[in-house]
Amino acid sequence: MTADRLRLHFNENTAGCSPAVIEALRTLTACDIASYPDYEDVTAKVAAWLGVAGAQVLLTNGLDEGLYAIAQHGVRRGPGSDARFIQTDPTFEMFEEFARIVGAGLVRIDPEPDFGFPLERVLAAITAHTRVIYLVDPNNPTGRPLPAGAAESIASAAPQAIVLVDEAYADFAGRTLIGQVFERCPNLVVGRTFAKGHGLAGLRVGALVGHTATVAALRRMIPPFNVNVAAIRALDAALTDDTYLHWYVAQAVESRRAIAAFCERRGLTYWPSAGNFVLVRVGDRASGITRDLAARGIDVRDKSAAPGCAGCLRLTAGVIAHTEQLITALEDILASRTN
Ligand SMILES: *Cc1c(COP(=O)(O)O)cnc(C)c1O
């Protein structure tokens, strides 16, 4: 964390990475740094951690690069100008960004009341031109779950498309689709990142996980040495320190509860979250509160511009002491604001 600010606007790990990662980075030699990285061992380690075969895992330069690979793959399957990608709003902003970069048309599904998952409307939006469907579990920014079976139904209804289930927050949700599903749904791909729970956001490392043939096709969309040697060394060390991950997840779970309790005390609407963040509706005061918090050195995300999120702030739930700092500041600001 930047020493003088509390960063609660990117859903980063507010504790930093495991000390084991720092130690491992210190062991990098001049020779290591001068050599192109080898991904075999660490890929096997990630695969074992996820319970799949090594050939089902593609390491990426942050999950963002995995999203880019999926978008590229989408426009290369037939005439690119016909490609349509589907997302359910509100969702992670990078989907729209990558659709734009590769020149695909984006079909946006409007939110349901209370951000329920619009399964019927996603199914109805699928056409022969659909090449990518973006799903997120739990969703960012709402924290809401993808209902059981929804991803498989969508993947079966759109065999011409890659169905991404972005599981950036799986560590906090304690659930994953990874497993036998890839045999039944070879067009379903799960995205994971080591940025959030493991605290490696600055090193950029994530993974796509899926059917061996699908992962091989996605591999052809990205450069061969896409993840650097420091990220590989860090990832290897991070995977050895489950104690750290479990500690951090427990902090985030407690923080999410503390934010929920604060909202209930204050009569604010919030959506129960399975991630390391909570979406809270503060109404017209959203931009003012964001500014007031920033003036106190606390950064939060005003999501007002996102569909269905008018007047909503997304608060990162990290280390409990940081959350307490946030709640104290919020109490203070709410008490002093006339609006
Ligand atoms: C943070 C986030 C990512 C990006 O992860 P990186 O590994 O940092 O690129 C992807 N998807 C969602 C939903 C996220 O919130």
Side-chain angles (χ1 to χ4, degrees):
M1 295 289 97
T2 315
D4 56 341
R5 296 198 72 78
L6 184 49
R7 292 168 59 87
L8 305 179
H9 58 327
F10 274 106
N11 297 343
E12 295 155 337
N13 186 316
T14 75
C17 65
S18 153
V21 168
I22 300 293
E23 249 171 72
L25 288 174
R26 288 209 174 96
T27 69
L28 277 171
T29 65
C31 228
D32 290 332
I33 288 169
S35 309
Y36 287 103
D38 182 340
Y39 303 128
E40 199 175 323
D41 289 354
V42 78
T43 302
K45 208 159 173 175
V46 170
W49 189 68
L50 295 170
V52 294
Q56 293 183 265
V57 174
L58 173 61
L59 294 181
T60 56
N61 197 300
L63 175 50
D64 281 352
E65 191 193 35
L67 303 180
Y68 182 59
I70 286 171
Q72 277 293 356
H73 185 263
V75 287
R76 277 148 193 269
R77 281 184 147 186
S81 56
D82 289 350
R84 296 288 178 274
F85 296 178
I86 298 175
Q87 73 173 33
T88 65
D89 280 327
T91 195
F92 186 50
E93 299 92 339
M94 293 304 283
F95 300 148
E96 183 180 1
E97 194 67 15
F98 287 125
R100 184 188 61 72
I101 289 170
V102 301
L106 185 64
V107 177
R108 312 175 69 133
I109 310 286
D110 290 334
E112 296 268 320
D114 261 337
F115 305 124
F117 186 75
L119 178 59
E120 292 311 317
R121 288 187 294 128
V122 173
L123 291 171
I126 295 168
T127 71
H129 298 298
T130 306
R131 307 271 180 70
V132 177
I133 303 175
Y134 295 110
L135 308 174
V136 190
D137 184 45
N139 192 22
N140 174 8
T142 64
R144 306 309 292 145
L146 189 65
E152 292 93 322
S153 304
I154 292 166
S156 307
Q160 73 282 17
I162 294 270
V163 175
L164 170 75
V165 181
D166 182 326
E167 292 189 353
Y169 301 98
D171 298 319
F172 306 101
R175 60 171 181 262
T176 179
L177 266 184
I178 292 172
Q180 297 308 314
V181 71
F182 303 125
E183 288 308 312
R184 289 197 309 281
C185 304
N187 59 326
L188 193 152
V189 174
V190 171
R192 297 290 288 260
T193 177
F194 301 95
K196 311 276 161 68
H198 293 86
L200 303 183
L203 284 166
R204 315 300 301 127
V205 57
L208 295 179
V209 189
H211 189 280
T212 305
T214 309
V215 167
L218 291 168
R219 195 183 300 279
R220 291 195 288 274
M221 299 298 131
I222 57 175
F225 293 111
N226 59 326
V227 182
N228 73 62
V229 72
I232 292 302
R233 187 66 62 91
L235 175 57
D236 185 85
L239 289 171
T240 62
D241 195 357
D242 273 343
T243 310
Y244 184 82
L245 179 65
H246 294 152
W247 167 78
Y248 190 69
V249 168
Q251 290 280 307
V253 168
E254 201 181 330
S255 281
R256 186 161 107 181
R257 274 197 216 112
I259 293 170
F262 159 76
C263 291
E264 299 202 354
R265 268 199 316 278
R266 278 281 173 179
L268 298 170
T269 300
Y270 70 98
W271 289 269
S273 170
N276 64 334
F277 56 88
V278 182
L279 190 70
V280 178
R281 178 160 280 148
V282 295
D284 297 346
R285 303 166 290 182
S287 66
I289 292 173
T290 304
R291 254 195 328 271
D292 289 356
L293 284 169
R296 290 165 189 244
I298 303 175
D299 296 316
V300 301
R301 182 72 69 201
D302 182 355
K303 293 300 296 184
S304 288
C309 297
C312 291
L313 304 180
R314 192 193 63 196
L315 310 174
T316 297
V319 170
I320 186 72
H322 294 154
T323 305
E324 280 165 2
Q325 228 178 298
L326 166 71
I327 291 172
T328 304
L330 274 171
E331 292 281 14
D332 219 43
I333 288 165
L334 288 178
S336 65
R337 286 187 75 85
T338 47
N339 125 52

